[in-house]
Amino acid sequence: MAKKKKKADQEEQAITTAVALDERDQRTLERIQSLADHVIQAAKARKDPYIDIPARTLSNVYFNKKKRFIEMGKAKNRRHLFNLAQAKSYMQTMLVASGCKRLIEQGKTTSIRGLFYLLKHTIEGTKEETFATQEECDPIIEDVEVTLNALREELHVYATNRGAMVGEITIVDSGDEIDCTRMGSGGYAIPSIVEPNVIQFVKCDAKFVLHVEKDTVWRRFNEDKFWKKHKCILTHGMGQPPRGVRRLLHRLHYELGLPVYCLLDNDPWGYYIYSVIKQGSINLAYESQRMAIPEARFLGLRSFDFERCGLSESVTIALTEADRKRAKQIMEYPWFKHKKAWQDEIKKLLDNGFKLEVEALISKDISYVTEVYAPQRLRDGDWLD
């Protein structure tokens, strides 16, 4: 029995050491190892092991005026092993870190759901499960991210793909060269992990990036070959863009110097999506430096467009009380509060009493948004910042 175990250990070691680690993976592994070292040091000193996890709360988030994006403060929550109320979450945190270490060493990636099943088991000698549900596992993954100051993707964990790209750029994705001008009606599906070790930019003839909110609008731009006529890259994120899309936009802007324009609905949700792309999100404040694009510009749809574009009342959608409340909250965001153009924009929304989807422009003509609206706004520099 001992010989079999020894052989199994040797085989596992052979698997983990066969993969050559790049600098980023090595750095992440060192951070994970430091967590383990702290447990060993505490045990040797006969002290209670603990982990200090930066607090992911609204009170620990602030707007950095110099950098122009949301950052996390210095407040931390201490999680102890020998505290009955914290013991389980402490062990779950170490378990997730261990699972990520295993993925990195083997050169493998898995989904958030996959990591949940990789780590889920009944603790020996008990009836206690490591994780009862996916919802119990997800915040622990975020705890590990923020504690290690590592993107989820750097831990080799990914989310479901949501979003697409088409246009004047050629990339290499996991060794395969992809010309994004030849991706048909569906475009290139933007993966969750878009880091330089996975995706490299080979050639780019684009002058800017146009990010649209929804797949339906993106398909109109793609079908009309807007990207070809205006030498650009088109992206969408199926509404609130997932981390992979935001990270790719960040890379396109900072590595290739491409301006990013956002064509979003005229409602509080559209304003919020723009805010997240531009300043980062409160929930993921610890990742703003690798995702936020302070120079991103809001191309539309605007509250004043109802009159300017001559739209009919039949395409309007009445604001709900929840919409009004959200709009007033957004007006108070530090990055909007002192900008007159944004204050006028949101006040006009509230005065109108209705919201507009980008699709409302179809009432003018099926290609009005691609042939008139967007080109004219870009040509006139008519956007909000």
Side-chain angles (χ1 to χ4, degrees):
M1 187 71 180
K3 288 182 178 180
K4 287 183 179 180
K5 185 178 186 302
K6 183 177 181 181
K7 183 179 180 181
D9 290 343
Q10 289 174 341
E11 289 175 349
E12 183 176 351
Q13 184 178 5
I15 292 173
T16 58
T17 56
V19 179
L21 302 177
D22 60 24
E23 183 179 343
R24 187 191 66 164
D25 283 343
Q26 190 61 52
R27 184 173 64 249
T28 306
L29 274 182
E30 289 173 358
R31 292 173 181 173
I32 294 174
Q33 187 63 50
S34 69
L35 289 180
D37 289 343
H38 184 267
V39 176
I40 294 172
Q41 292 166 5
K44 287 181 177 179
R46 296 180 177 275
K47 293 182 178 179
D48 178 8
Y50 64 85
I51 306 172
D52 282 331
I53 301 174
R56 292 183 286 108
T57 59
L58 182 60
S59 60
N60 193 40
V61 168
Y62 71 99
F63 179 60
N64 187 316
K65 291 183 180 180
K66 184 177 181 180
K67 296 179 181 178
R68 293 188 297 157
F69 58 68
I70 299 170
E71 283 193 318
M72 181 170 281
K74 297 181 179 180
K76 295 184 178 182
N77 296 320
R78 180 160 291 186
R79 188 170 292 171
H80 291 270
L81 174 60
F82 295 149
N83 182 312
L84 189 58
Q86 300 175 350
K88 183 175 181 179
S89 58
Y90 176 94
M91 289 187 287
Q92 288 173 330
T93 307
M94 300 303 291
L95 185 62
V96 167
S98 177
C100 294
K101 178 177 181 290
R102 179 176 165 188
L103 289 171
I104 295 170
E105 289 178 334
Q106 294 184 8
K108 308 271 187 188
T109 62
T110 190
S111 65
I112 297 171
R113 186 69 170 169
L115 184 62
F116 165 65
Y117 277 110
L118 181 68
L119 303 177
K120 181 177 172 60
H121 63 270
T122 304
I123 299 173
E124 187 176 353
T126 75
K127 294 183 179 180
E128 186 72 27
E129 292 288 317
T130 52
F131 292 103
T133 65
Q134 180 78 56
E135 289 69 28
E136 188 180 8
C137 183
D138 288 353
I140 300 296
I141 295 174
E142 292 183 359
D143 286 341
V144 172
E145 285 183 79
V146 68
T147 300
L148 298 178
N149 190 27
L151 289 169
R152 178 178 302 169
E153 292 71 23
E154 291 177 319
L155 299 174
H156 286 218
V157 180
Y158 60 83
T160 304
N161 292 355
R162 281 195 299 113
M165 176 171 71
V166 68
E168 300 286 346
I169 189 170
T170 299
I171 64 173
V172 169
D173 182 343
S174 301
D176 298 322
E177 187 166 300
I178 298 170
D179 182 351
C180 291
T181 65
R182 304 173 64 85
M183 294 304 298
S185 60
Y188 165 72
I190 300 174
S192 174
I193 301 179
V194 297
E195 297 310 300
N197 64 318
V198 176
I199 292 180
Q200 298 88 45
F201 303 137
V202 176
K203 179 185 177 184
C204 180
D205 294 324
K207 297 179 180 178
F208 62 91
V209 179
L210 179 63
H211 178 80
V212 299
E213 183 173 341
K214 290 170 285 191
D215 170 61
T216 51
V217 179
W218 180 91
R219 285 179 180 273
R220 170 50 46 211
F221 276 90
N222 188 23
E223 186 176 302
D224 290 351
K225 293 292 188 288
F226 182 91
W227 55 266
K228 188 174 184 179
K229 296 175 186 175
H230 298 276
K231 302 291 285 185
C232 71
I233 296 170
L234 293 173
T235 63
H236 78 80
M238 297 287 286
Q240 172 67 38
R243 293 154 53 124
V245 173
R246 288 172 54 197
R247 178 65 176 141
L248 183 61
L249 289 173
H250 186 277
R251 289 193 61 202
L252 290 170
H253 177 70
Y254 283 100
E255 294 178 31
L256 299 182
L258 299 178
V260 175
Y261 301 96
C262 302
L263 184 61
L264 310 168
D265 287 345
N266 168 232
D267 62 16
W269 183 244
Y271 300 156
Y272 177 72
I273 291 174
Y274 173 67
S275 175
V276 167
I277 292 173
K278 187 179 181 68
Q279 261 75 49
S281 68
I282 293 172
N283 289 339
L284 297 177
Y286 55 94
E287 294 186 348
S288 292
Q289 63 181 336
R290 288 173 285 197
M291 288 192 182
I293 308 171
E295 298 295 334
R297 294 153 174 168
F298 186 92
L299 199 67
L301 198 61
R302 306 263 285 279
S303 299
F304 294 92
D305 287 335
F306 179 74
E307 290 91 358
R308 288 202 295 180
C309 297
L311 299 176
S312 68
E313 292 186 6
S314 62
V315 300
T316 64
I317 304 171
L319 291 176
T320 65
E321 283 306 310
D323 288 332
R324 289 182 174 278
K325 181 179 179 180
R326 191 76 180 95
K328 290 174 182 177
Q329 289 174 339
I330 291 172
M331 286 183 81
E332 294 301 312
Y333 283 178
W335 45 96
F336 288 151
K337 188 172 184 178
H338 302 294
K339 291 185 176 180
K340 185 179 185 302
W342 268 108
Q343 292 295 306
D344 291 344
E345 165 68 22
I346 301 175
K347 185 177 185 298
K348 178 64 174 174
L349 173 79
L350 295 170
D351 290 343
N352 283 345
F354 58 77
K355 52 191 175 182
L356 297 164
E357 294 182 318
V358 175
E359 290 92 332
L361 295 174
I362 293 175
S363 65
K364 299 286 293 181
D365 181 79
I366 189 67
S367 293
Y368 180 82
V369 67
T370 63
E371 295 178 356
V372 179
Y373 186 91
Q376 184 175 322
R377 296 299 164 91
L378 289 166
R379 183 173 59 250
D380 297 344
D382 187 5
W383 53 68
L384 295 177
D385 190 7

mmCIF file of all heavy atoms in Angstrom, residues 35-57:
data_model
loop_
_atom_site.group_PDB
_atom_site.id
_atom_site.type_symbol
_atom_site.label_atom_id
_atom_site.label_comp_id
_atom_site.label_asym_id
_atom_site.label_seq_id
_atom_site.Cartn_x
_atom_site.Cartn_y
_atom_site.Cartn_z
ATOM 1 N N LEU A 35 1.192 32.164 1.520
ATOM 2 C CA LEU A 35 0.070 31.841 2.397
ATOM 3 C C LEU A 35 0.365 30.572 3.188
ATOM 4 O O LEU A 35 0.129 30.498 4.397
ATOM 5 C CB LEU A 35 -1.217 31.648 1.579
ATOM 6 C CG LEU A 35 -1.852 32.882 0.939
ATOM 7 C CD1 LEU A 35 -3.110 32.471 0.178
ATOM 8 C CD2 LEU A 35 -2.206 33.927 1.985
ATOM 9 N N ALA A 36 0.879 29.577 2.475
ATOM 10 C CA ALA A 36 1.215 28.309 3.125
ATOM 11 C C ALA A 36 2.339 28.502 4.136
ATOM 12 O O ALA A 36 2.317 27.929 5.241
ATOM 13 C CB ALA A 36 1.603 27.269 2.085
ATOM 14 N N ASP A 37 3.331 29.308 3.776
ATOM 15 C CA ASP A 37 4.458 29.547 4.686
ATOM 16 C C ASP A 37 3.990 30.189 5.986
ATOM 17 O O ASP A 37 4.523 29.900 7.066
ATOM 18 C CB ASP A 37 5.490 30.463 4.004
ATOM 19 C CG ASP A 37 6.238 29.745 2.881
ATOM 20 O OD1 ASP A 37 6.192 28.505 2.852
ATOM 21 O OD2 ASP A 37 6.830 30.440 2.037
ATOM 22 N N HIS A 38 2.986 31.059 5.884
ATOM 23 C CA HIS A 38 2.480 31.727 7.085
ATOM 24 C C HIS A 38 1.859 30.718 8.044
ATOM 25 O O HIS A 38 2.003 30.826 9.263
ATOM 26 C CB HIS A 38 1.450 32.782 6.706
ATOM 27 C CG HIS A 38 0.954 33.589 7.861
ATOM 28 N ND1 HIS A 38 -0.179 33.244 8.576
ATOM 29 C CD2 HIS A 38 1.440 34.707 8.458
ATOM 30 C CE1 HIS A 38 -0.370 34.116 9.545
ATOM 31 N NE2 HIS A 38 0.594 35.016 9.494
ATOM 32 N N VAL A 39 1.170 29.708 7.501
ATOM 33 C CA VAL A 39 0.574 28.658 8.338
ATOM 34 C C VAL A 39 1.670 27.872 9.053
ATOM 35 O O VAL A 39 1.588 27.601 10.260
ATOM 36 C CB VAL A 39 -0.288 27.706 7.490
ATOM 37 C CG1 VAL A 39 -0.831 26.558 8.350
ATOM 38 C CG2 VAL A 39 -1.442 28.448 6.837
ATOM 39 N N ILE A 40 2.718 27.542 8.312
ATOM 40 C CA ILE A 40 3.828 26.779 8.896
ATOM 41 C C ILE A 40 4.516 27.577 10.003
ATOM 42 O O ILE A 40 4.804 27.051 11.086
ATOM 43 C CB ILE A 40 4.849 26.404 7.794
ATOM 44 C CG1 ILE A 40 4.205 25.430 6.792
ATOM 45 C CG2 ILE A 40 6.099 25.768 8.418
ATOM 46 C CD1 ILE A 40 5.048 25.157 5.570
ATOM 47 N N GLN A 41 4.756 28.842 9.731
ATOM 48 C CA GLN A 41 5.416 29.693 10.719
ATOM 49 C C GLN A 41 4.569 29.834 11.982
ATOM 50 O O GLN A 41 5.084 29.792 13.109
ATOM 51 C CB GLN A 41 5.695 31.066 10.111
ATOM 52 C CG GLN A 41 6.743 31.049 9.002
ATOM 53 C CD GLN A 41 6.769 32.338 8.198
ATOM 54 O OE1 GLN A 41 6.064 33.293 8.522
ATOM 55 N NE2 GLN A 41 7.574 32.355 7.129
ATOM 56 N N ALA A 42 3.253 29.997 11.799
ATOM 57 C CA ALA A 42 2.355 30.123 12.953
ATOM 58 C C ALA A 42 2.331 28.835 13.759
ATOM 59 O O ALA A 42 2.330 28.858 14.999
ATOM 60 C CB ALA A 42 0.949 30.471 12.478
ATOM 61 N N ALA A 43 2.316 27.694 13.048
ATOM 62 C CA ALA A 43 2.291 26.398 13.729
ATOM 63 C C ALA A 43 3.565 26.196 14.547
ATOM 64 O O ALA A 43 3.519 25.730 15.700
ATOM 65 C CB ALA A 43 2.129 25.274 12.715
ATOM 66 N N LYS A 44 4.694 26.539 13.981
ATOM 67 C CA LYS A 44 5.967 26.377 14.686
ATOM 68 C C LYS A 44 6.023 27.276 15.923
ATOM 69 O O LYS A 44 6.631 26.904 16.937
ATOM 70 C CB LYS A 44 7.132 26.719 13.746
ATOM 71 C CG LYS A 44 7.385 25.648 12.681
ATOM 72 C CD LYS A 44 8.574 26.034 11.806
ATOM 73 C CE LYS A 44 8.882 24.948 10.792
ATOM 74 N NZ LYS A 44 10.031 25.324 9.908
ATOM 75 N N ALA A 45 5.407 28.441 15.831
ATOM 76 C CA ALA A 45 5.404 29.379 16.953
ATOM 77 C C ALA A 45 4.233 29.136 17.902
ATOM 78 O O ALA A 45 4.037 29.884 18.854
ATOM 79 C CB ALA A 45 5.352 30.815 16.418
ATOM 80 N N ARG A 46 3.424 28.074 17.594
ATOM 81 C CA ARG A 46 2.241 27.731 18.390
ATOM 82 C C ARG A 46 1.271 28.914 18.490
ATOM 83 O O ARG A 46 0.743 29.232 19.548
ATOM 84 C CB ARG A 46 2.655 27.258 19.798
ATOM 85 C CG ARG A 46 3.474 25.967 19.788
ATOM 86 C CD ARG A 46 3.864 25.552 21.181
ATOM 87 N NE ARG A 46 4.593 24.284 21.164
ATOM 88 C CZ ARG A 46 4.030 23.075 21.161
ATOM 89 N NH1 ARG A 46 2.710 22.980 21.184
ATOM 90 N NH2 ARG A 46 4.767 21.978 21.147
ATOM 91 N N LYS A 47 1.069 29.552 17.339
ATOM 92 C CA LYS A 47 0.145 30.679 17.266
ATOM 93 C C LYS A 47 -1.020 30.350 16.336
ATOM 94 O O LYS A 47 -0.956 29.415 15.545
ATOM 95 C CB LYS A 47 0.867 31.938 16.770
ATOM 96 C CG LYS A 47 1.912 32.466 17.742
ATOM 97 C CD LYS A 47 2.549 33.747 17.205
ATOM 98 C CE LYS A 47 3.558 34.319 18.189
ATOM 99 N NZ LYS A 47 4.193 35.561 17.665
ATOM 100 N N ASP A 48 -2.069 31.114 16.457
ATOM 101 C CA ASP A 48 -3.265 30.919 15.644
ATOM 102 C C ASP A 48 -3.015 31.445 14.231
ATOM 103 O O ASP A 48 -2.831 32.643 14.039
ATOM 104 C CB ASP A 48 -4.435 31.672 16.297
ATOM 105 C CG ASP A 48 -5.727 31.566 15.505
ATOM 106 O OD1 ASP A 48 -5.767 30.783 14.538
ATOM 107 O OD2 ASP A 48 -6.691 32.275 15.863
ATOM 108 N N PRO A 49 -3.024 30.578 13.197
ATOM 109 C CA PRO A 49 -2.843 31.051 11.822
ATOM 110 C C PRO A 49 -4.000 31.967 11.404
ATOM 111 O O PRO A 49 -5.145 31.740 11.794
ATOM 112 C CB PRO A 49 -2.853 29.763 10.994
ATOM 113 C CG PRO A 49 -2.534 28.677 11.961
ATOM 114 C CD PRO A 49 -3.145 29.107 13.248
ATOM 115 N N TYR A 50 -3.693 32.963 10.602
ATOM 116 C CA TYR A 50 -4.734 33.869 10.119
ATOM 117 C C TYR A 50 -4.377 34.376 8.722
ATOM 118 O O TYR A 50 -3.231 34.257 8.270
ATOM 119 C CB TYR A 50 -4.913 35.051 11.070
ATOM 120 C CG TYR A 50 -3.694 35.945 11.189
ATOM 121 C CD1 TYR A 50 -3.456 36.966 10.276
ATOM 122 C CD2 TYR A 50 -2.768 35.769 12.225
ATOM 123 C CE1 TYR A 50 -2.342 37.778 10.370
ATOM 124 C CE2 TYR A 50 -1.652 36.581 12.329
ATOM 125 C CZ TYR A 50 -1.438 37.583 11.395
ATOM 126 O OH TYR A 50 -0.333 38.384 11.484
ATOM 127 N N ILE A 51 -5.381 34.930 8.065
ATOM 128 C CA ILE A 51 -5.191 35.563 6.762
ATOM 129 C C ILE A 51 -5.811 36.949 6.832
ATOM 130 O O ILE A 51 -6.933 37.109 7.314
ATOM 131 C CB ILE A 51 -5.888 34.774 5.633
ATOM 132 C CG1 ILE A 51 -5.451 33.313 5.614
ATOM 133 C CG2 ILE A 51 -5.579 35.416 4.277
ATOM 134 C CD1 ILE A 51 -6.266 32.470 4.643
ATOM 135 N N ASP A 52 -5.090 37.953 6.361
ATOM 136 C CA ASP A 52 -5.633 39.304 6.273
ATOM 137 C C ASP A 52 -6.168 39.522 4.856
ATOM 138 O O ASP A 52 -5.400 39.516 3.887
ATOM 139 C CB ASP A 52 -4.556 40.344 6.596
ATOM 140 C CG ASP A 52 -4.301 40.455 8.094
ATOM 141 O OD1 ASP A 52 -5.243 40.188 8.867
ATOM 142 O OD2 ASP A 52 -3.178 40.798 8.495
ATOM 143 N N ILE A 53 -7.475 39.697 4.751
ATOM 144 C CA ILE A 53 -8.122 39.848 3.453
ATOM 145 C C ILE A 53 -8.636 41.279 3.289
ATOM 146 O O ILE A 53 -9.444 41.737 4.106
ATOM 147 C CB ILE A 53 -9.291 38.854 3.304
ATOM 148 C CG1 ILE A 53 -8.764 37.422 3.457
ATOM 149 C CG2 ILE A 53 -10.008 39.037 1.969
ATOM 150 C CD1 ILE A 53 -9.853 36.370 3.472
ATOM 151 N N PRO A 54 -8.168 42.005 2.275
ATOM 152 C CA PRO A 54 -8.663 43.369 2.046
ATOM 153 C C PRO A 54 -10.192 43.383 1.988
ATOM 154 O O PRO A 54 -10.809 42.531 1.352
ATOM 155 C CB PRO A 54 -8.046 43.740 0.692
ATOM 156 C CG PRO A 54 -6.763 42.948 0.643
ATOM 157 C CD PRO A 54 -7.110 41.641 1.297
ATOM 158 N N ALA A 55 -10.782 44.337 2.674
ATOM 159 C CA ALA A 55 -12.249 44.419 2.777
ATOM 160 C C ALA A 55 -12.851 44.878 1.453
ATOM 161 O O ALA A 55 -12.525 45.957 0.953
ATOM 162 C CB ALA A 55 -12.640 45.370 3.894
ATOM 163 N N ARG A 56 -13.733 44.045 0.906
ATOM 164 C CA ARG A 56 -14.433 44.389 -0.340
ATOM 165 C C ARG A 56 -15.791 44.998 -0.001
ATOM 166 O O ARG A 56 -16.833 44.414 -0.266
ATOM 167 C CB ARG A 56 -14.583 43.144 -1.220
ATOM 168 C CG ARG A 56 -13.252 42.643 -1.766
ATOM 169 C CD ARG A 56 -13.398 41.452 -2.689
ATOM 170 N NE ARG A 56 -13.696 40.228 -1.961
ATOM 171 C CZ ARG A 56 -14.862 39.613 -1.965
ATOM 172 N NH1 ARG A 56 -15.866 40.117 -2.652
ATOM 173 N NH2 ARG A 56 -15.050 38.502 -1.281
ATOM 174 N N THR A 57 -15.728 46.173 0.608
ATOM 175 C CA THR A 57 -16.943 46.863 1.030
ATOM 176 C C THR A 57 -16.940 48.286 0.479
ATOM 177 O O THR A 57 -15.886 48.834 0.145
ATOM 178 C CB THR A 57 -17.034 46.925 2.562
ATOM 179 O OG1 THR A 57 -15.873 47.619 3.069
ATOM 180 C CG2 THR A 57 -17.081 45.528 3.160
#
